[in-house]
Amino acid sequence: MRLIQGHGRYASDWNMAGQLFAAVLRSPHAAARIVRIDTAAALNAPGVRAVLTHADAEQAGFKSIVGGVALKDRNGQPMKKPHYPVLAKDQVAYVGQAVAFVVAESATAAQDATELIEVEYEEQPAVVEFADAVAPGAPRVHQDIEGNVAYVHEHGDAAAVEAAFARAHRTTRLKVDSQRLVCNPMEPRACLAAFDAATGRYTLHAPSQGLIGARTHIEQITGLPAKDVDLIVEDVGGSFGIRGTPYPEYFMAMLAARTLGKPVKWVGSRSDTFLSDYHGRALALCGEVALDETGRFLAFRWTDEINLGAYAGPFGAFIGTQNVSITSHGVYAVPAVYVRSTLAYTNTTPISAYRGAGRPDIAYAIERLVDQAAFEHGFDPLELRRRNFITPAQMPFKTATGPTYDSGDFPAVMEHALKASDWAGFPARRKESEARGRLRGIGLASYLEAAGAGTFNKDQTAARVGDDGRITIFCMAGGSGQGHETTFVGVFADELGVEQGVIEYRASDLAAADLIGNGTGGSRTAAGQGSAFKALARALIEKARPLASALLGGEADYADGRFSAGGKSVGLIDLARKMARGADGRHPLDCEAEASSPATFPNGCHVAEVEIDPDTGVTDIIRYTSIDDLGNVLQPMLVEGQVHGGVAQGWGQVFGEHAVYDRESGQFLTASFMDYAMPRADWLKGTFTRESHPVPTATNLMGAKGVGESGCSGSLPALMNALMSAVRPLGVKDLQMPVTPVVMWRTLNQTARKAA
């Protein structure tokens, strides 16, 4: 309600008395040696208080920005990770890399002064495509990393897969690109830093998905003890994974605040978002499937190419290693799977997690591959799936890649989707479209993704009771649009049997409740923190029970928010009001709880139906059907919104979004909304049907599986399979995202010319 009423507090809303303002000078080159930096003119500009460069960051002891994976390759070698400076030192490695930090008495003065800084660059050859980066003799992004290869990840049983392909009756191979994307949350990044010289403590306001992880990164990079940084995270206007860790501007604002003795505020522009927020996706997946004579899958083999960008971003390397590997056979009972991913550096913005962080990409690749195998070898795509699904009778199912699926009914979910989408009626609808000169296609995708994994093996929660009986509940997972305040208050109030109006939720407040726990990410909060809040409600009841028993004169039973004994009763909230605080200031009902929640496996079946105008290449989504097994659904309306949002992001990737660099110069060609297409509501010309098919998990107290990534995971393959369904009869062999109108128009015309 407070957000609807305009009472939110986002990072750029915070201000402090006497604050100064900052702006960042960014590199105009993709690859260049920094010969010299002259800041004299900028320092003498009106209102300028400081111009900080790498020398200042180095003197402050700032270390490399944290990133990469701790894994070792088959030869026992760790990932090669170049030093990622807070401000560029001797070289710049991508357009938009931060070079200098200007602080002035106004934001305008700071921005104007950046243009007075003289930087002499010596341009170097750049590589922006994976293939160019790993080609023999390619220019090195970092001189100490030969071939630009950071790491080669292998997962699965290569020998078993090789044997399966050797005896296979049929095989199919398909390579798909999941193109680089700009994440574009509604709220651009911002921060406000202050330093208290008397205590040596910092205050930092910034957007973040997880307080504990962000404080840990600040400690690792600045060398400051986490206890000396009061990181305040309130409302966050979108995140999608890229707000999981701090950015260079935050550290420089902290340094400037200490140096100048004044609070320092930096508010990024949309251009800063395009250039310097971590990008998403940027990988290509080449899949092969081996089938026996009946169409049973014998093995999957994946050879993946991961474009990391110029440095090892916080979670970029996880995408092409663990996240792609763990669900690399999806919903199918594949006996053998092998994944080989090569991670390479290029002169582009580093990548990190973005809504699904590899799981939508592998789901996309699997479902495209299954469809391709069906059409290559004469199978009905539905029957081929039915023949290879993991069945409920096989649950729990130990996969060839390691995880164990605890629950799910993949065949029933697909049948639900077929009925809800009126799959059987499609031929008649296609004929109607053909009569109007349109191409119509239908596509299906049975996706699965891994959710719920976290840095900590448990999530802690706390309840603090006021003298008026109102209860404030705490955890470390702050929302960025998911509706945590509604969900967690609902879980806690329902378990207690009290009205939600007496409960207030607050996140990331270590001063009120010093807790550990995971941030918001990986679709884990309903399962993880939801379970911890359910445990907290139970702990509160048990803490109150002896107090109620003493008041009522007998062993008290609890139901519907009230304790009862001997014909008398007292409400929990009334009991709380009667209790006096202890000498330590705590209320007798203040309590803490925790819960451990392992990974879950949300899944579903999405069906897309599209219509294409061959004269313009414009595609309309005529019907979209989403049937999802998300376990128990806690807040149906919020789940509806999460699925719709994820599906829409899938539309964006399929039909328009693409971060493009010039292959020769490394210049970023799509660095504004003038050149970068975002998903549009009017792409959907028909109906959107979303229904749940829950198969609750027993691995957490809520029975929930997560929802955040499901929309993307299902929509990418469903839409692309629908597009292929529409154009395959004309002889089109392949399509790659994004299928913009001009791409579709050219494809149809080129295919027609070849057929003529």
Side-chain angles (χ1 to χ4, degrees), residues 29 54 57 64 68 103 111 119 130 140 195 225 322 331 339 360 388 401 410 439 471 503 540 577 580 587 669 697 715:
H29 303 294
H54 176 78
S64 177
V103 183
Q111 187 62 51
V119 184
F130 177 94
R140 294 189 184 185
F195 178 70
Q322 292 164 302
V331 295
V339 182
N388 287 284
T401 51
F410 311 138
L439 306 173
I471 305 171
I503 312 296
L540 179 58
R577 294 191 184 111
H587 190 281
L669 302 180
T697 177
S715 63

Side-chain angles (χ1 to χ4, degrees), residues 693-713:
H693 192 109
V695 182
T697 177
T699 61
N700 62 71
L701 295 179
M702 303 307 302
K705 294 181 177 179
V707 61
E709 278 87 9
S710 62
C712 274
S713 297

